[in-house]
Amino acid sequence: MALHIETPLIASTAISCIASCKVWLKLENCQPSASFKLRGIGALCIESKNAGKKKIISSSGGNAGLAAAYSSKLLNMPCKIFVPGSTSQHTIKLLEAEGAEVQVVGKIWDDANAAAMEEIKANPDYAFVHPFDHPTIWKGNSTVIHEMKQQLGNTVPGCIIASCGGGGLLTGIIQGLDEIGWSHVPVVAMETEGADCLAASVAANKLVTLPDITSIAKSLGSRTVCQQLFDYTKDHNIISHTITDTAAVDACIKFADDHRMLVEPACGASLAVIYSGDIQKLQGTDKLPKDLDNIVVVVCGGNSVSMQTMESYKMLISSTT
């Protein structure tokens, strides 16, 4: 049994014209919890229930918590989510609507996660569902690649673009590529400046913990990337790339115009590498071929977006141009 659904893979005419090659969109924003998180989080919640755990405990700035809350509801398990103070009231209401108990702790995700760990220490019969750093989560997230292969048929992507926060999605993508024989496919890992723990780690050749998260893309707000993804950068073709908050929100606006879908800046980071023209700058480097026949962008989704936030994005763009 799986709690996630198979999501559409569609060709984007508008974005293909910008990239000068065919661009496919893997629409993870269509998951019932509105993001890819349901793949891995759902798998871990099922595993926890089968192990006899009594309650789901998780920590999240939003999307992982919503996946945990949704999964818990389907599995008839109580759920408590620890969120940082940066979490919007909109997201908190969504969590509560799914039946989760919500506790706000600290400023950033690391603070909320520490509180969740204390809850687990006091209650060993509870299950801790990490937002991204767990083998079962990576395995669940790898299903996005297995679906992609079925949907593309004989087509092999020239590269795959996905956003990186703590690294759970990217780790699952790499594992999925290995499993289906696509290990040679380059993966562009997108982050925003101020939430770029992978880029900092790659540059330093060691895991780096950011002092703070200063980006608007709060869903990318892990100060340290998971060890497994960092290890994969040593032997897989992972291209770490960062863009500005302005570029990310601009991509959200353009994507809404092109595809009538709302996504948050953490997702906009992946779209921005094409909308901004940075993909052409990456082509011809030692990692990304100059000639690409097709690209797949994982539209990871996200709940921290509404028509009101889209209007605020437009104001931000206006103030910086």
Side-chain angles (χ1 to χ4, degrees), residues 92-131:
I92 290 174
K93 288 179 181 179
L94 289 175
L95 288 166
E96 292 174 339
E98 293 291 354
E101 177 186 355
V102 181
Q103 184 169 335
V104 181
V105 179
K107 178 184 176 183
I108 59 176
W109 172 79
D110 299 72
D111 302 326
N113 190 59
M117 294 304 296
E118 289 299 317
E119 183 91 352
I120 291 297
K121 287 180 183 178
N123 301 277
D125 59 341
Y126 291 179
F128 177 58
V129 176
H130 196 282

PDB file of all heavy atoms in Angstrom, residues 92-131:
ATOM      1  N   ILE A  92      -0.106  26.447   9.435  1.00  0.00           N
ATOM      2  CA  ILE A  92      -0.540  25.885  10.718  1.00  0.00           C
ATOM      3  C   ILE A  92      -2.011  25.469  10.650  1.00  0.00           C
ATOM      4  O   ILE A  92      -2.395  24.396  11.131  1.00  0.00           O
ATOM      5  CB  ILE A  92      -0.300  26.902  11.852  1.00  0.00           C
ATOM      6  CG1 ILE A  92       1.208  27.061  12.099  1.00  0.00           C
ATOM      7  CG2 ILE A  92      -1.003  26.466  13.138  1.00  0.00           C
ATOM      8  CD1 ILE A  92       1.569  28.142  13.085  1.00  0.00           C
ATOM      9  N   LYS A  93      -2.826  26.300  10.025  1.00  0.00           N
ATOM     10  CA  LYS A  93      -4.248  25.957   9.878  1.00  0.00           C
ATOM     11  C   LYS A  93      -4.436  24.705   9.013  1.00  0.00           C
ATOM     12  O   LYS A  93      -5.311  23.874   9.282  1.00  0.00           O
ATOM     13  CB  LYS A  93      -5.012  27.140   9.290  1.00  0.00           C
ATOM     14  CG  LYS A  93      -5.184  28.296  10.266  1.00  0.00           C
ATOM     15  CD  LYS A  93      -5.922  29.471   9.625  1.00  0.00           C
ATOM     16  CE  LYS A  93      -6.065  30.617  10.603  1.00  0.00           C
ATOM     17  NZ  LYS A  93      -6.760  31.793   9.990  1.00  0.00           N
ATOM     18  N   LEU A  94      -3.605  24.569   7.971  1.00  0.00           N
ATOM     19  CA  LEU A  94      -3.688  23.375   7.131  1.00  0.00           C
ATOM     20  C   LEU A  94      -3.334  22.117   7.938  1.00  0.00           C
ATOM     21  O   LEU A  94      -3.972  21.076   7.796  1.00  0.00           O
ATOM     22  CB  LEU A  94      -2.750  23.515   5.933  1.00  0.00           C
ATOM     23  CG  LEU A  94      -3.135  24.509   4.840  1.00  0.00           C
ATOM     24  CD1 LEU A  94      -2.034  24.605   3.793  1.00  0.00           C
ATOM     25  CD2 LEU A  94      -4.458  24.112   4.185  1.00  0.00           C
ATOM     26  N   LEU A  95      -2.306  22.225   8.769  1.00  0.00           N
ATOM     27  CA  LEU A  95      -1.903  21.093   9.612  1.00  0.00           C
ATOM     28  C   LEU A  95      -3.023  20.710  10.568  1.00  0.00           C
ATOM     29  O   LEU A  95      -3.341  19.516  10.740  1.00  0.00           O
ATOM     30  CB  LEU A  95      -0.643  21.456  10.404  1.00  0.00           C
ATOM     31  CG  LEU A  95       0.671  21.534   9.621  1.00  0.00           C
ATOM     32  CD1 LEU A  95       1.737  22.231  10.447  1.00  0.00           C
ATOM     33  CD2 LEU A  95       1.134  20.138   9.215  1.00  0.00           C
ATOM     34  N   GLU A  96      -3.605  21.700  11.181  1.00  0.00           N
ATOM     35  CA  GLU A  96      -4.697  21.435  12.136  1.00  0.00           C
ATOM     36  C   GLU A  96      -5.916  20.874  11.433  1.00  0.00           C
ATOM     37  O   GLU A  96      -6.633  20.022  11.988  1.00  0.00           O
ATOM     38  CB  GLU A  96      -5.034  22.724  12.887  1.00  0.00           C
ATOM     39  CG  GLU A  96      -3.918  23.166  13.834  1.00  0.00           C
ATOM     40  CD  GLU A  96      -4.173  24.519  14.477  1.00  0.00           C
ATOM     41  OE1 GLU A  96      -4.986  25.311  13.926  1.00  0.00           O
ATOM     42  OE2 GLU A  96      -3.561  24.800  15.524  1.00  0.00           O
ATOM     43  N   ALA A  97      -6.161  21.306  10.211  1.00  0.00           N
ATOM     44  CA  ALA A  97      -7.294  20.781   9.449  1.00  0.00           C
ATOM     45  C   ALA A  97      -7.137  19.294   9.151  1.00  0.00           C
ATOM     46  O   ALA A  97      -8.134  18.570   9.003  1.00  0.00           O
ATOM     47  CB  ALA A  97      -7.452  21.563   8.148  1.00  0.00           C
ATOM     48  N   GLU A  98      -5.880  18.829   9.066  1.00  0.00           N
ATOM     49  CA  GLU A  98      -5.619  17.400   8.853  1.00  0.00           C
ATOM     50  C   GLU A  98      -5.668  16.606  10.157  1.00  0.00           C
ATOM     51  O   GLU A  98      -5.444  15.405  10.163  1.00  0.00           O
ATOM     52  CB  GLU A  98      -4.253  17.206   8.183  1.00  0.00           C
ATOM     53  CG  GLU A  98      -4.148  17.734   6.762  1.00  0.00           C
ATOM     54  CD  GLU A  98      -4.972  16.943   5.759  1.00  0.00           C
ATOM     55  OE1 GLU A  98      -5.560  15.902   6.131  1.00  0.00           O
ATOM     56  OE2 GLU A  98      -5.039  17.369   4.595  1.00  0.00           O
ATOM     57  N   GLY A  99      -5.931  17.306  11.258  1.00  0.00           N
ATOM     58  CA  GLY A  99      -6.076  16.617  12.535  1.00  0.00           C
ATOM     59  C   GLY A  99      -4.824  16.583  13.388  1.00  0.00           C
ATOM     60  O   GLY A  99      -4.806  15.929  14.442  1.00  0.00           O
ATOM     61  N   ALA A 100      -3.781  17.289  12.981  1.00  0.00           N
ATOM     62  CA  ALA A 100      -2.521  17.264  13.732  1.00  0.00           C
ATOM     63  C   ALA A 100      -2.536  18.279  14.870  1.00  0.00           C
ATOM     64  O   ALA A 100      -3.134  19.350  14.771  1.00  0.00           O
ATOM     65  CB  ALA A 100      -1.351  17.557  12.800  1.00  0.00           C
ATOM     66  N   GLU A 101      -1.845  17.909  15.948  1.00  0.00           N
ATOM     67  CA  GLU A 101      -1.545  18.860  17.014  1.00  0.00           C
ATOM     68  C   GLU A 101      -0.291  19.616  16.589  1.00  0.00           C
ATOM     69  O   GLU A 101       0.681  19.004  16.137  1.00  0.00           O
ATOM     70  CB  GLU A 101      -1.296  18.108  18.322  1.00  0.00           C
ATOM     71  CG  GLU A 101      -0.895  18.980  19.491  1.00  0.00           C
ATOM     72  CD  GLU A 101      -0.508  18.183  20.726  1.00  0.00           C
ATOM     73  OE1 GLU A 101      -0.651  16.944  20.706  1.00  0.00           O
ATOM     74  OE2 GLU A 101      -0.050  18.810  21.707  1.00  0.00           O
ATOM     75  N   VAL A 102      -0.299  20.939  16.723  1.00  0.00           N
ATOM     76  CA  VAL A 102       0.818  21.754  16.259  1.00  0.00           C
ATOM     77  C   VAL A 102       1.437  22.501  17.433  1.00  0.00           C
ATOM     78  O   VAL A 102       0.723  23.127  18.226  1.00  0.00           O
ATOM     79  CB  VAL A 102       0.373  22.772  15.182  1.00  0.00           C
ATOM     80  CG1 VAL A 102       1.565  23.591  14.698  1.00  0.00           C
ATOM     81  CG2 VAL A 102      -0.283  22.052  14.008  1.00  0.00           C
ATOM     82  N   GLN A 103       2.777  22.435  17.534  1.00  0.00           N
ATOM     83  CA  GLN A 103       3.489  23.196  18.554  1.00  0.00           C
ATOM     84  C   GLN A 103       4.571  24.028  17.879  1.00  0.00           C
ATOM     85  O   GLN A 103       5.403  23.505  17.141  1.00  0.00           O
ATOM     86  CB  GLN A 103       4.120  22.274  19.597  1.00  0.00           C
ATOM     87  CG  GLN A 103       4.805  23.033  20.738  1.00  0.00           C
ATOM     88  CD  GLN A 103       5.200  22.129  21.894  1.00  0.00           C
ATOM     89  OE1 GLN A 103       4.605  21.072  22.093  1.00  0.00           O
ATOM     90  NE2 GLN A 103       6.203  22.533  22.658  1.00  0.00           N
ATOM     91  N   VAL A 104       4.557  25.325  18.116  1.00  0.00           N
ATOM     92  CA  VAL A 104       5.536  26.239  17.541  1.00  0.00           C
ATOM     93  C   VAL A 104       6.728  26.370  18.477  1.00  0.00           C
ATOM     94  O   VAL A 104       6.555  26.666  19.666  1.00  0.00           O
ATOM     95  CB  VAL A 104       4.912  27.631  17.282  1.00  0.00           C
ATOM     96  CG1 VAL A 104       5.940  28.570  16.658  1.00  0.00           C
ATOM     97  CG2 VAL A 104       3.680  27.511  16.389  1.00  0.00           C
ATOM     98  N   VAL A 105       7.927  26.131  17.945  1.00  0.00           N
ATOM     99  CA  VAL A 105       9.143  26.164  18.766  1.00  0.00           C
ATOM    100  C   VAL A 105      10.254  26.892  18.019  1.00  0.00           C
ATOM    101  O   VAL A 105      10.582  26.550  16.880  1.00  0.00           O
ATOM    102  CB  VAL A 105       9.631  24.736  19.107  1.00  0.00           C
ATOM    103  CG1 VAL A 105      10.911  24.803  19.948  1.00  0.00           C
ATOM    104  CG2 VAL A 105       8.556  23.944  19.829  1.00  0.00           C
ATOM    105  N   GLY A 106      10.859  27.890  18.659  1.00  0.00           N
ATOM    106  CA  GLY A 106      12.058  28.529  18.126  1.00  0.00           C
ATOM    107  C   GLY A 106      11.828  29.331  16.862  1.00  0.00           C
ATOM    108  O   GLY A 106      10.700  29.662  16.480  1.00  0.00           O
ATOM    109  N   LYS A 107      12.948  29.591  16.169  1.00  0.00           N
ATOM    110  CA  LYS A 107      12.934  30.452  14.989  1.00  0.00           C
ATOM    111  C   LYS A 107      13.016  29.665  13.693  1.00  0.00           C
ATOM    112  O   LYS A 107      12.325  29.982  12.717  1.00  0.00           O
ATOM    113  CB  LYS A 107      14.110  31.433  15.078  1.00  0.00           C
ATOM    114  CG  LYS A 107      14.246  32.371  13.887  1.00  0.00           C
ATOM    115  CD  LYS A 107      15.488  33.238  14.010  1.00  0.00           C
ATOM    116  CE  LYS A 107      15.675  34.113  12.783  1.00  0.00           C
ATOM    117  NZ  LYS A 107      16.921  34.910  12.835  1.00  0.00           N
ATOM    118  N   ILE A 108      13.891  28.653  13.647  1.00  0.00           N
ATOM    119  CA  ILE A 108      14.118  27.892  12.418  1.00  0.00           C
ATOM    120  C   ILE A 108      13.839  26.413  12.652  1.00  0.00           C
ATOM    121  O   ILE A 108      13.611  25.966  13.784  1.00  0.00           O
ATOM    122  CB  ILE A 108      15.560  28.089  11.893  1.00  0.00           C
ATOM    123  CG1 ILE A 108      16.584  27.639  12.950  1.00  0.00           C
ATOM    124  CG2 ILE A 108      15.790  29.530  11.487  1.00  0.00           C
ATOM    125  CD1 ILE A 108      18.022  27.706  12.472  1.00  0.00           C
ATOM    126  N   TRP A 109      13.899  25.636  11.564  1.00  0.00           N
ATOM    127  CA  TRP A 109      13.552  24.218  11.639  1.00  0.00           C
ATOM    128  C   TRP A 109      14.395  23.463  12.656  1.00  0.00           C
ATOM    129  O   TRP A 109      13.880  22.595  13.374  1.00  0.00           O
ATOM    130  CB  TRP A 109      13.706  23.554  10.262  1.00  0.00           C
ATOM    131  CG  TRP A 109      13.554  22.070  10.356  1.00  0.00           C
ATOM    132  CD1 TRP A 109      12.388  21.362  10.452  1.00  0.00           C
ATOM    133  CD2 TRP A 109      14.612  21.106  10.436  1.00  0.00           C
ATOM    134  NE1 TRP A 109      12.646  20.023  10.574  1.00  0.00           N
ATOM    135  CE2 TRP A 109      14.007  19.835  10.564  1.00  0.00           C
ATOM    136  CE3 TRP A 109      15.995  21.204  10.397  1.00  0.00           C
ATOM    137  CZ2 TRP A 109      14.742  18.664  10.659  1.00  0.00           C
ATOM    138  CZ3 TRP A 109      16.743  20.028  10.484  1.00  0.00           C
ATOM    139  CH2 TRP A 109      16.114  18.779  10.626  1.00  0.00           C
ATOM    140  N   ASP A 110      15.661  23.771  12.761  1.00  0.00           N
ATOM    141  CA  ASP A 110      16.539  23.060  13.698  1.00  0.00           C
ATOM    142  C   ASP A 110      16.001  23.139  15.124  1.00  0.00           C
ATOM    143  O   ASP A 110      16.112  22.169  15.897  1.00  0.00           O
ATOM    144  CB  ASP A 110      17.954  23.630  13.640  1.00  0.00           C
ATOM    145  CG  ASP A 110      18.575  23.499  12.266  1.00  0.00           C
ATOM    146  OD1 ASP A 110      18.142  24.243  11.363  1.00  0.00           O
ATOM    147  OD2 ASP A 110      19.479  22.665  12.086  1.00  0.00           O
ATOM    148  N   ASP A 111      15.425  24.266  15.510  1.00  0.00           N
ATOM    149  CA  ASP A 111      14.852  24.425  16.845  1.00  0.00           C
ATOM    150  C   ASP A 111      13.646  23.497  17.031  1.00  0.00           C
ATOM    151  O   ASP A 111      13.511  22.827  18.061  1.00  0.00           O
ATOM    152  CB  ASP A 111      14.413  25.878  17.065  1.00  0.00           C
ATOM    153  CG  ASP A 111      15.553  26.866  16.897  1.00  0.00           C
ATOM    154  OD1 ASP A 111      16.700  26.528  17.237  1.00  0.00           O
ATOM    155  OD2 ASP A 111      15.288  27.992  16.418  1.00  0.00           O
ATOM    156  N   ALA A 112      12.783  23.477  16.027  1.00  0.00           N
ATOM    157  CA  ALA A 112      11.599  22.617  16.097  1.00  0.00           C
ATOM    158  C   ALA A 112      11.990  21.143  16.119  1.00  0.00           C
ATOM    159  O   ALA A 112      11.399  20.330  16.845  1.00  0.00           O
ATOM    160  CB  ALA A 112      10.675  22.906  14.911  1.00  0.00           C
ATOM    161  N   ASN A 113      13.000  20.804  15.347  1.00  0.00           N
ATOM    162  CA  ASN A 113      13.448  19.416  15.282  1.00  0.00           C
ATOM    163  C   ASN A 113      14.017  18.954  16.624  1.00  0.00           C
ATOM    164  O   ASN A 113      13.780  17.820  17.059  1.00  0.00           O
ATOM    165  CB  ASN A 113      14.498  19.256  14.184  1.00  0.00           C
ATOM    166  CG  ASN A 113      14.829  17.809  13.908  1.00  0.00           C
ATOM    167  OD1 ASN A 113      13.951  17.027  13.546  1.00  0.00           O
ATOM    168  ND2 ASN A 113      16.083  17.436  14.071  1.00  0.00           N
ATOM    169  N   ALA A 114      14.763  19.828  17.300  1.00  0.00           N
ATOM    170  CA  ALA A 114      15.314  19.486  18.614  1.00  0.00           C
ATOM    171  C   ALA A 114      14.191  19.204  19.614  1.00  0.00           C
ATOM    172  O   ALA A 114      14.281  18.267  20.423  1.00  0.00           O
ATOM    173  CB  ALA A 114      16.203  20.620  19.123  1.00  0.00           C
ATOM    174  N   ALA A 115      13.120  19.986  19.558  1.00  0.00           N
ATOM    175  CA  ALA A 115      11.980  19.765  20.453  1.00  0.00           C
ATOM    176  C   ALA A 115      11.280  18.447  20.140  1.00  0.00           C
ATOM    177  O   ALA A 115      10.843  17.723  21.048  1.00  0.00           O
ATOM    178  CB  ALA A 115      10.996  20.929  20.325  1.00  0.00           C
ATOM    179  N   ALA A 116      11.178  18.128  18.850  1.00  0.00           N
ATOM    180  CA  ALA A 116      10.570  16.851  18.453  1.00  0.00           C
ATOM    181  C   ALA A 116      11.382  15.674  18.981  1.00  0.00           C
ATOM    182  O   ALA A 116      10.828  14.666  19.440  1.00  0.00           O
ATOM    183  CB  ALA A 116      10.451  16.780  16.939  1.00  0.00           C
ATOM    184  N   MET A 117      12.697  15.789  18.943  1.00  0.00           N
ATOM    185  CA  MET A 117      13.557  14.717  19.447  1.00  0.00           C
ATOM    186  C   MET A 117      13.387  14.524  20.948  1.00  0.00           C
ATOM    187  O   MET A 117      13.427  13.394  21.457  1.00  0.00           O
ATOM    188  CB  MET A 117      15.018  15.037  19.111  1.00  0.00           C
ATOM    189  CG  MET A 117      15.336  15.036  17.621  1.00  0.00           C
ATOM    190  SD  MET A 117      14.923  13.481  16.797  1.00  0.00           S
ATOM    191  CE  MET A 117      16.032  12.354  17.626  1.00  0.00           C
ATOM    192  N   GLU A 118      13.182  15.603  21.671  1.00  0.00           N
ATOM    193  CA  GLU A 118      12.942  15.504  23.114  1.00  0.00           C
ATOM    194  C   GLU A 118      11.628  14.772  23.383  1.00  0.00           C
ATOM    195  O   GLU A 118      11.518  13.995  24.339  1.00  0.00           O
ATOM    196  CB  GLU A 118      12.908  16.903  23.742  1.00  0.00           C
ATOM    197  CG  GLU A 118      14.263  17.590  23.807  1.00  0.00           C
ATOM    198  CD  GLU A 118      15.261  16.800  24.645  1.00  0.00           C
ATOM    199  OE1 GLU A 118      14.885  16.309  25.725  1.00  0.00           O
ATOM    200  OE2 GLU A 118      16.428  16.664  24.201  1.00  0.00           O
ATOM    201  N   GLU A 119      10.630  15.026  22.551  1.00  0.00           N
ATOM    202  CA  GLU A 119       9.332  14.340  22.690  1.00  0.00           C
ATOM    203  C   GLU A 119       9.497  12.836  22.489  1.00  0.00           C
ATOM    204  O   GLU A 119       8.895  12.022  23.210  1.00  0.00           O
ATOM    205  CB  GLU A 119       8.345  14.906  21.664  1.00  0.00           C
ATOM    206  CG  GLU A 119       6.946  14.338  21.752  1.00  0.00           C
ATOM    207  CD  GLU A 119       6.024  15.133  22.668  1.00  0.00           C
ATOM    208  OE1 GLU A 119       6.511  16.051  23.353  1.00  0.00           O
ATOM    209  OE2 GLU A 119       4.831  14.816  22.700  1.00  0.00           O
ATOM    210  N   ILE A 120      10.328  12.461  21.540  1.00  0.00           N
ATOM    211  CA  ILE A 120      10.572  11.043  21.272  1.00  0.00           C
ATOM    212  C   ILE A 120      11.316  10.386  22.434  1.00  0.00           C
ATOM    213  O   ILE A 120      11.006   9.257  22.840  1.00  0.00           O
ATOM    214  CB  ILE A 120      11.358  10.871  19.953  1.00  0.00           C
ATOM    215  CG1 ILE A 120      10.487  11.249  18.759  1.00  0.00           C
ATOM    216  CG2 ILE A 120      11.878   9.448  19.796  1.00  0.00           C
ATOM    217  CD1 ILE A 120       9.265  10.374  18.559  1.00  0.00           C
ATOM    218  N   LYS A 121      12.286  11.088  22.986  1.00  0.00           N
ATOM    219  CA  LYS A 121      13.031  10.541  24.122  1.00  0.00           C
ATOM    220  C   LYS A 121      12.113  10.237  25.297  1.00  0.00           C
ATOM    221  O   LYS A 121      12.294   9.243  26.010  1.00  0.00           O
ATOM    222  CB  LYS A 121      14.120  11.526  24.560  1.00  0.00           C
ATOM    223  CG  LYS A 121      15.299  11.617  23.608  1.00  0.00           C
ATOM    224  CD  LYS A 121      16.327  12.629  24.122  1.00  0.00           C
ATOM    225  CE  LYS A 121      17.488  12.785  23.148  1.00  0.00           C
ATOM    226  NZ  LYS A 121      18.466  13.808  23.609  1.00  0.00           N
ATOM    227  N   ALA A 122      11.117  11.083  25.490  1.00  0.00           N
ATOM    228  CA  ALA A 122      10.186  10.905  26.608  1.00  0.00           C
ATOM    229  C   ALA A 122       9.107   9.864  26.313  1.00  0.00           C
ATOM    230  O   ALA A 122       8.435   9.383  27.241  1.00  0.00           O
ATOM    231  CB  ALA A 122       9.532  12.245  26.956  1.00  0.00           C
ATOM    232  N   ASN A 123       8.944   9.514  25.039  1.00  0.00           N
ATOM    233  CA  ASN A 123       7.879   8.580  24.640  1.00  0.00           C
ATOM    234  C   ASN A 123       8.413   7.591  23.613  1.00  0.00           C
ATOM    235  O   ASN A 123       8.218   7.764  22.408  1.00  0.00           O
ATOM    236  CB  ASN A 123       6.690   9.347  24.052  1.00  0.00           C
ATOM    237  CG  ASN A 123       6.085  10.340  25.010  1.00  0.00           C
ATOM    238  OD1 ASN A 123       5.266   9.990  25.849  1.00  0.00           O
ATOM    239  ND2 ASN A 123       6.491  11.605  24.891  1.00  0.00           N
ATOM    240  N   PRO A 124       9.081   6.534  24.048  1.00  0.00           N
ATOM    241  CA  PRO A 124       9.708   5.598  23.116  1.00  0.00           C
ATOM    242  C   PRO A 124       8.734   4.828  22.220  1.00  0.00           C
ATOM    243  O   PRO A 124       9.155   4.240  21.215  1.00  0.00           O
ATOM    244  CB  PRO A 124      10.476   4.638  24.032  1.00  0.00           C
ATOM    245  CG  PRO A 124       9.857   4.809  25.380  1.00  0.00           C
ATOM    246  CD  PRO A 124       9.385   6.209  25.457  1.00  0.00           C
ATOM    247  N   ASP A 125       7.442   4.842  22.564  1.00  0.00           N
ATOM    248  CA  ASP A 125       6.469   4.153  21.710  1.00  0.00           C
ATOM    249  C   ASP A 125       5.914   5.075  20.620  1.00  0.00           C
ATOM    250  O   ASP A 125       5.031   4.690  19.855  1.00  0.00           O
ATOM    251  CB  ASP A 125       5.321   3.567  22.543  1.00  0.00           C
ATOM    252  CG  ASP A 125       4.572   4.611  23.350  1.00  0.00           C
ATOM    253  OD1 ASP A 125       5.123   5.715  23.567  1.00  0.00           O
ATOM    254  OD2 ASP A 125       3.440   4.320  23.781  1.00  0.00           O
ATOM    255  N   TYR A 126       6.459   6.308  20.530  1.00  0.00           N
ATOM    256  CA  TYR A 126       6.098   7.222  19.450  1.00  0.00           C
ATOM    257  C   TYR A 126       7.100   7.055  18.307  1.00  0.00           C
ATOM    258  O   TYR A 126       8.244   6.666  18.530  1.00  0.00           O
ATOM    259  CB  TYR A 126       6.116   8.677  19.916  1.00  0.00           C
ATOM    260  CG  TYR A 126       5.041   9.076  20.895  1.00  0.00           C
ATOM    261  CD1 TYR A 126       4.983  10.383  21.401  1.00  0.00           C
ATOM    262  CD2 TYR A 126       4.079   8.172  21.323  1.00  0.00           C
ATOM    263  CE1 TYR A 126       4.013  10.769  22.299  1.00  0.00           C
ATOM    264  CE2 TYR A 126       3.096   8.540  22.229  1.00  0.00           C
ATOM    265  CZ  TYR A 126       3.070   9.847  22.714  1.00  0.00           C
ATOM    266  OH  TYR A 126       2.100  10.216  23.613  1.00  0.00           O
ATOM    267  N   ALA A 127       6.666   7.370  17.108  1.00  0.00           N
ATOM    268  CA  ALA A 127       7.551   7.286  15.936  1.00  0.00           C
ATOM    269  C   ALA A 127       7.996   8.679  15.524  1.00  0.00           C
ATOM    270  O   ALA A 127       7.164   9.581  15.346  1.00  0.00           O
ATOM    271  CB  ALA A 127       6.829   6.614  14.781  1.00  0.00           C
ATOM    272  N   PHE A 128       9.305   8.834  15.382  1.00  0.00           N
ATOM    273  CA  PHE A 128       9.822  10.105  14.861  1.00  0.00           C
ATOM    274  C   PHE A 128       9.935  10.014  13.352  1.00  0.00           C
ATOM    275  O   PHE A 128      10.657   9.166  12.814  1.00  0.00           O
ATOM    276  CB  PHE A 128      11.191  10.434  15.463  1.00  0.00           C
ATOM    277  CG  PHE A 128      11.790  11.691  14.899  1.00  0.00           C
ATOM    278  CD1 PHE A 128      11.110  12.897  14.993  1.00  0.00           C
ATOM    279  CD2 PHE A 128      13.018  11.678  14.268  1.00  0.00           C
ATOM    280  CE1 PHE A 128      11.642  14.072  14.478  1.00  0.00           C
ATOM    281  CE2 PHE A 128      13.569  12.847  13.746  1.00  0.00           C
ATOM    282  CZ  PHE A 128      12.870  14.041  13.852  1.00  0.00           C
ATOM    283  N   VAL A 129       9.214  10.878  12.666  1.00  0.00           N
ATOM    284  CA  VAL A 129       9.243  10.918  11.206  1.00  0.00           C
ATOM    285  C   VAL A 129      10.029  12.152  10.784  1.00  0.00           C
ATOM    286  O   VAL A 129       9.519  13.272  10.805  1.00  0.00           O
ATOM    287  CB  VAL A 129       7.816  10.932  10.620  1.00  0.00           C
ATOM    288  CG1 VAL A 129       7.858  11.085   9.106  1.00  0.00           C
ATOM    289  CG2 VAL A 129       7.076   9.651  10.993  1.00  0.00           C
ATOM    290  N   HIS A 130      11.286  11.923  10.444  1.00  0.00           N
ATOM    291  CA  HIS A 130      12.168  13.023  10.036  1.00  0.00           C
ATOM    292  C   HIS A 130      11.690  13.594   8.705  1.00  0.00           C
ATOM    293  O   HIS A 130      11.195  12.856   7.848  1.00  0.00           O
ATOM    294  CB  HIS A 130      13.603  12.507   9.904  1.00  0.00           C
ATOM    295  CG  HIS A 130      14.640  13.577   9.875  1.00  0.00           C
ATOM    296  ND1 HIS A 130      14.892  14.322   8.747  1.00  0.00           N
ATOM    297  CD2 HIS A 130      15.484  14.028  10.835  1.00  0.00           C
ATOM    298  CE1 HIS A 130      15.851  15.198   9.010  1.00  0.00           C
ATOM    299  NE2 HIS A 130      16.233  15.043  10.268  1.00  0.00           N
ATOM    300  N   PRO A 131      11.827  14.898   8.481  1.00  0.00           N
ATOM    301  CA  PRO A 131      11.371  15.475   7.213  1.00  0.00           C
ATOM    302  C   PRO A 131      12.124  14.986   5.984  1.00  0.00           C
ATOM    303  O   PRO A 131      11.588  15.005   4.881  1.00  0.00           O
ATOM    304  CB  PRO A 131      11.599  16.983   7.413  1.00  0.00           C
ATOM    305  CG  PRO A 131      11.652  17.179   8.880  1.00  0.00           C
ATOM    306  CD  PRO A 131      12.253  15.933   9.444  1.00  0.00           C
TER     307      PRO A 131
END
